[in-house]
Amino acid sequence: MKIVSRNEELNRDALSRIPRSSSRTSLSSCNKLIRFEDISAAAFKIQCGVQKTPCMYSRLSKQYGMDIYLKKEFLQYTGSVKERGVLYLLTSLPQDQQRKGVIVASDSNFSMAVAYHASELRIPVFVIMSTSMSPARVKMCREYGAMVISYGTTAKDSQTHARRLAQENGYLYLEEEDSAVYLSGLGTVGLEVYEQVPKLDAVIFPAGGHCGLLAGSAAALKHLNPHISVIGVESENFPVLQQSLKAGHPIEDQACSNHHFYGDVSGLCFGSNSLQLTGKLVDKVVAVREEDILISMLRLLEYERATVDAEGAIGLAALVAGKLPELKGKRVAIVICSGNLELHLLQQCIARALTLDNRVCRFSLVLSDCPGDISKLLEILAREEARVLDIRQERMFVTSELFTVEVTCTVETRDKIHAAQLRNALLERYPTAAWTER
C-alpha cells in the first residue's frame, strides 16, 4: 500500500501510554495525538492478521443511479470490522500484560474479535457473559479459543464480575471505547478504500454511538483527499451521534435498545475522541428508519449474496431511503462492516423486509361455498402471475351469510407495481376483498 504521510494533528487529546497496571483499564485512558502516521503504522502492523477485504462494484449501482462500491468488511474472520482495532490494540500491549491476559464482558463484535485475536497471539483471554446472552455467541467465543464464563443475569452483572477478576488476577479489562490505538486500527479501512477505488466522491459508514470506524476512517480519507465526502448513517430510533454532536459532548442518558437486531447502532456515545473527530472531519450524518434497514438487508442478500446485520446494512439504507440525493451520478463506497446476524433473527428480518418491499402480500375475501369458486380465484392469481405461498379457508366463524367461506391468501409478487395490478384485478372480480396493509 502506497501511503503518503504528513504531520497533521487530528485530535488534541493528551497522550498517556497504555498502563501496565493489572487493574481495570479503560481504553479511553490511552489517548494521544491522532495523526495520519498512526493509521498508516496500524495498517503495516496488522496487515498479516486481518483480511484486506474487497471493495467491489455493485449491481445495485443502476438501481440507485450512482457507481456503488461495497467494502465487504463482514468477510473478516469474526464477521466484523472490529478486528482491525482489536488486533492493533492487542499487539500494542506491553509484553508483561500480554502474558497476564485480557478479559472482556459482553457478546458484542468487539468481544468476539478480542477472543479470536488474543487466542491467535497466545494471550490468555477470558469472556464473561450473563446467562441471558446468546448461546450462539457463547459457542463462537469458545471456538475462537477464549475461556467463557457465565455469570449473572444481566450485562451489568457480568461486567462487574469481569472487573473484579481483573483486579484480583492481573488481567487487563477491555471495553470498547475510543483510544487512539483502537481508532487508528479502525481507520485502516479508510486507507484501503482510498487505494481500491480511484476517483472517489464519497464514502458512507455506519455511525450510531460507536462511531470509531467513522471517525478513524475519516481521519485517513480527509488526509489523503479533503474533497472526499465522509457520511455517517444511524438509526432514527437512536440518533445518538446527532444528539451528541448537537450537545457538544457524548450523550449518556439516551435510551438505547438491548435488542440484538440493532447491535452497536443503538449504543451510547462512548467517547469524546471519536466525537471530536466526527465533528471536525465528517461532512454529514443522516438517520434512517428501521424499515429502510430491513430493505437494505434484503437488497444485499438478493444482489450481493451478503447476509449482514443492521450495522452492516445501515450505510446502504441511506440510499434506499433517498437521504443522499446529492450523490446521484457520483462514485460512492459503502462500508458493509458486520455480518453477525443471529439465525433466528435472519428469518424474521427477511420475511418482514419482503412485506415492506411489496414482495409478499396478503388478502382475504368471502366466496360462496360452491365447487369451482376457489378454482376461479386461483385462475385469477395465475393470470396475474402471482405465486401462492399460503391459502386458508374458514367456515365455522364466518360472520357473513350462510354457505360462504372466508379465504385468506398470501402471495408473492415482483414489486410494488405488480402488487397494485393484482389488487386491482381482485377488486374488479371481488369488490369486498380486503387487502392486509403492512
Side-chain angles (χ1 to χ4, degrees), residues 124-152:
V125 55
F126 303 87
V127 180
I128 312 301
M129 292 187 177
S130 68
T131 54
S132 62
M133 295 297 182
S134 165
R137 296 291 179 100
V138 173
K139 178 183 177 183
M140 198 67 69
C141 284
R142 284 181 175 144
E143 290 178 351
Y144 290 151
M147 173 66 73
V148 180
I149 301 172
S150 295
Y151 185 89

Side-chain angles (χ1 to χ4, degrees), residues 7-19:
N7 293 324
E8 179 183 3
E9 296 182 359
L10 300 176
N11 190 349
R12 295 189 175 275
D13 293 312
L15 166 64
S16 57
R17 190 178 58 180
I18 296 177

Side-chain angles (χ1 to χ4, degrees), residues 2 85 160 268 324 339 409 420:
K2 182 179 180 181
T160 301
L268 298 176
L324 301 170
C409 194

Side-chain angles (χ1 to χ4, degrees), residues 60-68 201-202 204 229 231 284 316 318-334:
L60 291 164
S61 299
K62 293 182 180 179
Q63 188 168 346
Y64 296 105
M66 62 190 75
D67 289 334
I68 297 175
D201 293 304
I204 301 174
S229 294
I231 300 168
K284 190 174 185 179
L316 179 62
L319 302 184
V320 170
K323 292 295 183 75
L324 301 170
E326 68 274 17
L327 297 183
K328 293 286 185 180
K330 301 287 183 69
R331 181 169 288 197
V332 180
I334 304 175

